[in-house]
Every structure is written in structure tokens, then in C-alpha cells.
Amino acid sequence: MQPKARVLLAEDDLSLGYVIKDNLEQEGYSVLLCADGEQALQYFQKNEFDICLLDVMMPARDGFSVAKKIRQKSDLIPILFITAKSMEEDKLKGFTSGADDYITKPFSMKELLMRMDVFLRRTKKLFSDQAQEYKLGKMHFSYTDLKIYNGEDVSNLTQKEADLLKFLCEHPNHILKREEVLLNVWGKDDYFLGRSMDVFITKLRKHFKNDDSVNLETIHGVGFRLNIPA
């Protein structure tokens, strides 16, 4: 029987790691458990996975370092941080390292399974969708390829950047409220995710710096508007 998904689980607390592994396998997932960041990176390079669950604080390499290395090889695979920390700085660092979401210890397996399901469904839909192209002034954006094309120049996007830009492109020249963007792109309205969203907005703006006809505007206290030529 085919597993629901192939999971890379990096957790240095092996007691917790085996609890997570056993529960996921009971739900039909295939799980490869490793106890430090270096081993996780080696497993990732030698195997194919559908989702990565990374503890933040690990020996050899921390979760942030592992996520950055994974992102160099794949913009698509979902990365979920498992962390005992709830500091805003750590969560923002996690998102800028390439994570799609985080879950704070202690957590229920039901919550973890729901979080995983959200990202796995999105990834599956991405593979099944036909190519989706959007005109952005002199540029065009391929959601399926995760790229922005500007003549011969090509900019690569992460999956989350592409998800955010796609939602903005579907509502050009309209003000989108912050909570509306969060719910549609991240699946929930959360303060820390809101801070992460601001980071992604800043990243997207850099892709438009060579085209004055495109402006990703922040409406302070309200939300955002992607201004593009009609």
C-alpha cells in the first residue's frame, strides 16, 4: 500500500520522536526519523520526501540551517518547524529560513496532522494544476514554475512567495485586508504569521524593482494592493 506521504522527521528528543513517528505511521505515513540536523540533511539528500518536520534546537545543525539547505534544493517541499520556543524572533527567523509553518511544543497529534494535511494538499494541487501565468507589467509570473520572467532574466520564488503573489494577482488593483491574505494564503489569522507575511511582501517587492509599472503597496492598518497596468 502506498503511504499517504513520505515524512522526514528530525527530532533530537527521541522519546518524542518515536511517539510522533508511531502516530504518523498509524495514520498511513512513511516516516524516517533522525536525531540531529546533520543526519537529517544527509537523509534528505539521499531520499525523496513529501514533507519535512524539523525540530529547531538540534545537535550538529539546528533546524534553521537544515531548512536553508533544503530550500537550496527544493522550493516546493513543505517544511514545518517543531519548536519549544515561542519567541517572535525565533518564529520570524524560521520563516525567513524557508519554513512554511511552525508548531509549538506541547502539541496534540490531531493539530500536527491537520497542519501537515493543509500543506500536502496544496503541494498535490500544485502538481495537478495546469500552468498558471499572470501578466505583471513587463514581466510575467508562472505559478506552476515558481518563477518571474523579465525578458531574459528569471527570478526564482519559494512556494510561499508564489502562493502569496498568486493571491495578489487574482485581485489586481484591489485592496486586500491583512486578515484576508493570511486566511487565504496561510490558512489562519495569526500575529506571528502576520509578521512573516510582511517579510514575504518585502521579498516580493524586490522582484518588481526594475518595473515602475508594478507597485506592491502597503495600505497601513488595512492591508495590501498590487497595482499593475490594466
Side-chain angles (χ1 to χ4, degrees):
M1 183 183 295
Q2 281 288 102
K4 283 185 178 179
R6 297 157 296 180
V7 182
L8 174 61
L9 171 60
E11 172 57 67
D12 67 327
D13 180 347
L14 288 178
S15 295
L16 175 60
Y18 280 115
V19 169
I20 296 173
K21 183 177 187 294
D22 290 345
N23 276 273
L24 291 180
E25 288 177 342
Q26 288 177 15
E27 294 293 329
Y29 292 93
S30 171
V31 183
L32 201 161
L33 172 63
C34 45
D36 63 66
E38 188 62 39
Q39 187 181 44
L41 194 55
Q42 291 175 5
Y43 282 157
F44 180 80
Q45 292 169 340
K46 296 177 181 178
N47 300 274
E48 291 191 4
F49 297 97
D50 300 301
I51 189 169
C52 297
L53 309 180
L54 307 178
D55 188 21
V56 169
M57 302 303 296
M58 293 187 291
R61 283 181 180 269
D62 63 20
F64 301 134
S65 172
V66 177
K68 286 181 179 179
K69 288 291 186 180
I70 290 174
R71 279 288 169 256
Q72 290 175 7
K73 292 184 173 293
S74 172
D75 290 324
L76 184 61
I77 186 169
I79 299 175
L80 178 65
F81 274 143
I82 300 173
T83 175
K85 293 189 173 185
S86 58
M87 295 292 290
E88 177 182 355
E89 293 80 5
D90 292 311
K91 291 177 178 178
L92 291 176
K93 184 178 180 181
F95 286 119
T96 55
S97 298
D100 294 288
D101 202 357
Y102 61 88
I103 186 167
T104 305
K105 303 173 186 176
F107 55 85
S108 69
M109 283 305 304
K110 182 178 180 180
E111 180 185 5
L112 177 60
L113 288 165
M114 289 178 63
R115 298 277 190 94
M116 290 173 59
D117 185 58
V118 167
F119 291 107
L120 289 169
R121 280 189 286 108
R122 288 180 185 175
T123 306
K124 184 178 180 179
K125 185 177 185 299
L126 177 65
F127 280 119
S128 63
D129 280 348
Q130 294 182 347
Q132 298 180 57
E133 306 284 331
Y134 299 89
K135 180 72 172 169
L136 293 170
K138 302 173 185 176
M139 304 172 288
H140 77 268
F141 160 49
S142 171
Y143 177 69
T144 305
D145 294 338
L146 304 178
K147 297 181 186 296
I148 293 177
Y149 298 91
N150 186 4
E152 295 182 355
D153 296 329
V154 181
S155 299
N156 295 311
L157 301 176
T158 66
Q159 182 61 53
K160 188 57 68 178
E161 287 173 330
D163 290 342
L164 176 57
L165 182 54
K166 178 176 181 288
F167 186 66
L168 293 168
C169 287
E170 290 171 344
H171 305 84
N173 305 311
H174 284 79
I175 296 175
L176 297 171
K177 294 183 178 180
R178 290 181 63 86
E179 57 268 27
E180 183 180 2
V181 179
L182 283 169
L183 287 170
N184 281 274
V185 179
W186 274 268
K188 61 180 178 178
D189 182 3
D190 175 273
Y191 171 76
F192 293 109
L193 291 178
R195 293 296 303 275
S196 173
M197 176 174 64
D198 292 334
V199 172
F200 282 103
I201 289 289
T202 299
K203 287 183 176 181
L204 287 179
R205 284 199 180 101
K206 293 179 180 179
H207 296 296
F208 308 144
K209 62 183 179 181
N210 294 324
D211 189 346
D212 294 336
S213 68
V214 179
N215 175 33
L216 181 46
E217 181 183 6
T218 296
I219 313 297
H220 292 289
V222 180
F224 309 98
R225 178 168 54 201
L226 179 60
N227 298 304
I228 59 176

